[in-house]
Amino acid sequence: SQQGEEDPQALSIQEGENATMNCSYKTSINNLQWYRQNSGRGLVHLILIRSNEREKHSGRLRVTLDTSKKSSSLLITASRAADTASYFCATGGERGGTSYGKLTFGQGTILTVHP
Amino acid sequence: DTAVSQTPKYLVTQMGNDKSIKCEQNLGHDTMYWYKQDSKKFLKIMFSYNNKELIINETVPNRFSPKSPDKAHLNLHINSLELGDSAVYFCASVEGTPHRGTEAFFGQGTRLTVV
C-alpha cells in the first residue's frame, strides 16, 4: 500500500524563491529520506533523517520530521532553474512493521523553477 | 564508473514475449531491489535480495522472476508480457541489510513499452 502522500503535487516558482514540499506517512518509521528525480533519469538521494531527529540540513536543503504528526517537509532555499525535478519522500519502516526492510515512496512533487 | 547500471535503457516488445532486464552494482552492497514506476510516477517496490537471498516479494505476479547470481547482480525476467507491464523499472542497492536505513543508489531505469 502507498505509504507517503506528498503535497503539493506540483509547485512552480521563480529562481531565488524558496520551495517547500511536504510528505505525510501512515505507519511508524525508522527513517525518512528525500530523493530527486530529473526527467528520464534515476533517483538521487538527497538527505536522510532518522526517527529520533527533528531537523537536518545539507547545503540549501532543510528537512524537518514530526513523528507525532507523521509528516516531513523539504525546504529548498534560493532555488535555481537546475533544481527543476520531481522530489520524492521515502520511508524506511520500523522493526516489526509491514514496511520493515524496504523504502516506501510517496507520489512525488514536481518542482519547476523558472529562470 | 556507474555505481548501479541497468540494461537495456529502453525496451519495446510485443505482448506475450519474454524479456529480461539486467542490473549490476559495483558498490559492494549486500542488498538490491527492483522498483516499478508507473505512468503517474508512483514507485512501488517489487523485490528485494540480500546476499542472493530473496527477502521481499511484494505480491508481484509470478510472471516476474528475479534472479541474483551473485550479490552484485539482480536480474529481472518477465514472462508473457502484458500491456500493463509498461513502466519504468528501477534497480537499486543499499549497503548492508536493508534494515539499517541507509541511502539507496538507483540505476537509470529501464523504460519497458509493451505493444
Side-chain angles (χ1 to χ4, degrees):
Chain A
S1 62
Q2 184 180 337
Q3 167 74 315
E5 299 280 342
E6 295 196 51
D7 166 51
Q9 289 189 358
L11 180 60
S12 182
I13 59 174
Q14 295 294 128
E15 242 182 351
E17 294 180 340
N18 294 342
T20 300
M21 289 161 267
N22 302 299
C23 168
S24 60
Y25 56 91
K26 296 174 184 173
T27 61
S28 295
I29 63 170
N30 169 279
N31 67 89
L32 187 144
Q33 304 180 33
W34 285 89
Y35 287 81
R36 166 193 169 128
Q37 183 180 32
N38 285 74
S39 180
R41 307 295 295 274
L43 284 84
V44 175
H45 181 264
L46 295 175
I47 197 165
L48 180 153
I49 187 166
R50 300 208 178 271
S51 57
N52 61 354
E53 297 176 309
R54 291 297 165 257
E55 187 170 313
K56 208 158 183 181
H57 296 256
S58 176
R60 294 185 295 113
L61 306 180
R62 174 179 168 248
V63 169
T64 61
L65 178 64
D66 187 335
T67 52
S68 66
K69 295 180 180 177
K70 291 187 167 57
S71 67
S72 172
S73 68
L74 171 68
L75 168 67
I76 305 174
T77 60
S79 64
R80 305 166 183 167
D83 294 329
T84 295
S86 294
Y87 291 82
F88 294 88
C89 69
T91 53
E94 197 173 54
R95 182 184 288 273
T98 57
S99 299
Y100 190 49
K102 63 187 179 187
L103 280 177
T104 305
F105 283 83
Q107 287 182 311
T109 293
I110 300 171
L111 174 66
T112 304
V113 182
H114 300 281
Chain B
D1 283 344
T2 304
V4 182
S5 60
Q6 295 177 229
T7 53
K9 189 171 181 180
Y10 299 98
L11 185 53
V12 181
T13 188
Q14 290 189 325
M15 281 176 57
N17 284 350
D18 302 338
K19 291 292 178 186
S20 292
I21 307 171
K22 295 186 176 181
C23 178
E24 175 182 5
Q25 52 95 3
N26 62 6
L27 298 166
H29 289 171
D30 293 313
T31 302
M32 295 183 73
Y33 299 90
W34 278 110
Y35 279 84
K36 179 180 179 180
Q37 187 173 42
D38 63 23
S39 57
K40 295 183 180 178
K41 291 206 160 186
F42 178 53
L43 271 152
K44 185 170 168 55
I45 189 169
M46 299 174 69
F47 300 102
S48 173
Y49 270 74
N50 178 257
N51 271 320
K52 303 193 299 177
E53 183 181 340
L54 177 67
I55 54 174
I56 293 174
N57 182 340
E58 283 288 298
T59 60
V60 177
N62 58 15
R63 297 184 296 103
F64 291 78
S65 53
K67 284 188 172 52
S68 182
D70 54 62
K71 74 172 194 177
H73 296 83
L74 180 61
N75 304 322
L76 183 65
H77 188 77
I78 315 170
N79 288 329
S80 303
L81 278 154
E82 301 177 356
L83 291 176
D85 297 332
S86 295
V88 182
Y89 293 83
F90 285 99
C91 177
S93 72
V94 298
E95 184 181 3
T97 66
H99 318 109
R100 284 182 58 191
T102 57
E103 68 176 282
F105 291 79
F106 281 80
Q108 292 296 296
T110 296
R111 182 174 294 277
L112 172 65
T113 303
V114 182
V115 297

